[in-house]
Amino acid sequence: MSTQSKIDELIGCGNANAVNFAKQAAELKTLVESQAISRAEYEELVSDLKRIKSIAESSDDLAIKSAVHEVLIGLENTALALL
Amino acid sequence: MKKIALISLVLLLNGCALIDAYRMARFDNIEYALVNQIHTQAQLGVVSCGTDLVYSQVDDIYFKTVELRNYSASIPRNEETVAMTNDLYDITKGLKDRYASDEEVSQKYCEIKFNNIENSTGTMKKVIGAKPR
């Protein structure tokens, strides 16, 4: 399967993050093919896509941890109120 | 409904995960301010792409990113934020290195890099700003 068909498949998958990722990848491919960016710039920007994905994953982890923390504090306060 | 889902999630987590969440790093003014500064600088700095002003913008963003990374790394139980600042550092280091090299930097590359920094710090701001007080 070619890179372009993989990008098309991702765009059609319906997952917002995957669609966004695929659209950015498609834009970079167009830019390097039209020589608007150099090959070295293209490679770095593709690496950035992975870093942005990694930031999104860490931010999801942090958001869940914060939510769990709030629940634990709520449970703790409820327990203290019952004592 | 959301509360019920969260409580269910809490009950499903193992002991270590619960302790991690209970003891996690709290909201920190300085950490948040640094992320916000980098975000704002990337948001406004993109117009400098293609001008001589871009060099000072890139240097400033890089300096603040290193400052953020150093600051966050010194806060205990701050793993997720440290991971995000490391990725952000890699993004800004690439930009700084390219402007420090002799190679020509394209307008589009510059704009995309500033947008990447703005979007990444935007994601970070939301969750760092929502850390427990």
Side-chain angles (χ1 to χ4, degrees):
Chain A
M1 188 185 274
S2 72
T3 306
Q4 187 57 53
S5 53
K6 280 181 186 167
I7 289 171
D8 292 341
E9 190 181 304
L10 272 179
I11 289 173
C13 82
N15 177 300
N17 287 337
V19 170
N20 198 28
F21 181 88
K23 281 183 178 170
Q24 287 176 306
E27 187 196 355
L28 293 179
K29 194 166 171 283
T30 307
L31 287 171
V32 73
E33 283 169 359
S34 64
Q35 297 184 331
I37 58 173
S38 69
R39 171 61 60 179
E41 289 173 337
Y42 169 76
E43 284 169 6
E44 186 189 326
L45 292 171
V46 168
S47 295
D48 275 4
L49 289 182
K50 295 173 195 162
R51 293 174 187 131
I52 291 166
K53 186 170 172 286
S54 171
I55 288 173
E57 286 167 359
S58 297
S59 82
D60 286 346
D61 290 345
L62 181 56
I64 290 170
K65 204 181 231 187
S66 295
V68 170
H69 177 92
E70 297 295 342
V71 171
L72 287 172
I73 295 299
L75 292 173
E76 185 182 60
N77 289 340
T78 306
L80 286 173
L82 292 172
L83 287 175
Chain B
M1 193 64 191
K2 199 176 173 185
K3 276 186 182 173
I4 293 169
L6 267 175
I7 291 170
S8 306
L9 176 66
V10 167
L11 295 174
L12 284 172
L13 292 172
N14 66 38
C16 288
L18 287 178
I19 291 168
D20 276 355
Y22 186 73
R23 299 178 66 221
M24 68 180 284
R26 304 293 201 274
F27 174 78
D28 185 296
N29 285 337
I30 297 171
E31 186 176 62
Y32 184 79
L34 283 169
V35 178
N36 192 49
Q37 282 172 26
I38 298 165
H39 179 74
T40 307
Q41 190 139 19
Q43 193 177 51
L44 300 177
V46 69
V47 295
S48 69
C49 287
T51 73
D52 287 342
L53 289 173
V54 75
Y55 292 94
S56 60
Q57 293 285 342
V58 169
D59 282 346
D60 279 354
I61 286 180
Y62 179 69
F63 180 88
K64 283 176 185 155
T65 304
V66 175
E67 194 178 10
L68 170 66
R69 189 171 76 141
N70 291 342
Y71 187 84
S72 295
S74 66
I75 300 173
R77 299 181 296 278
N78 201 26
E79 298 82 9
E80 293 82 7
T81 306
V82 172
M84 289 190 286
T85 61
N86 283 335
D87 284 321
L88 181 65
Y89 169 81
D90 289 339
I91 294 172
T92 56
K93 176 93 169 48
L95 180 66
K96 188 194 180 321
D97 287 348
R98 198 155 297 279
Y99 272 101
S101 75
D102 294 333
E103 288 175 35
E104 191 183 335
V105 181
S106 71
Q107 173 84 13
K108 203 69 195 169
Y109 164 86
C110 178
E111 290 170 3
I112 293 172
K113 285 297 275 192
F114 273 84
N115 286 334
N116 286 348
I117 296 166
E118 183 191 346
N119 292 336
S120 300
T121 48
T123 302
M124 291 167 69
K125 252 161 57 77
K126 280 183 197 157
V127 286
I128 290 173
K131 276 183 177 179
R133 265 52 176 183

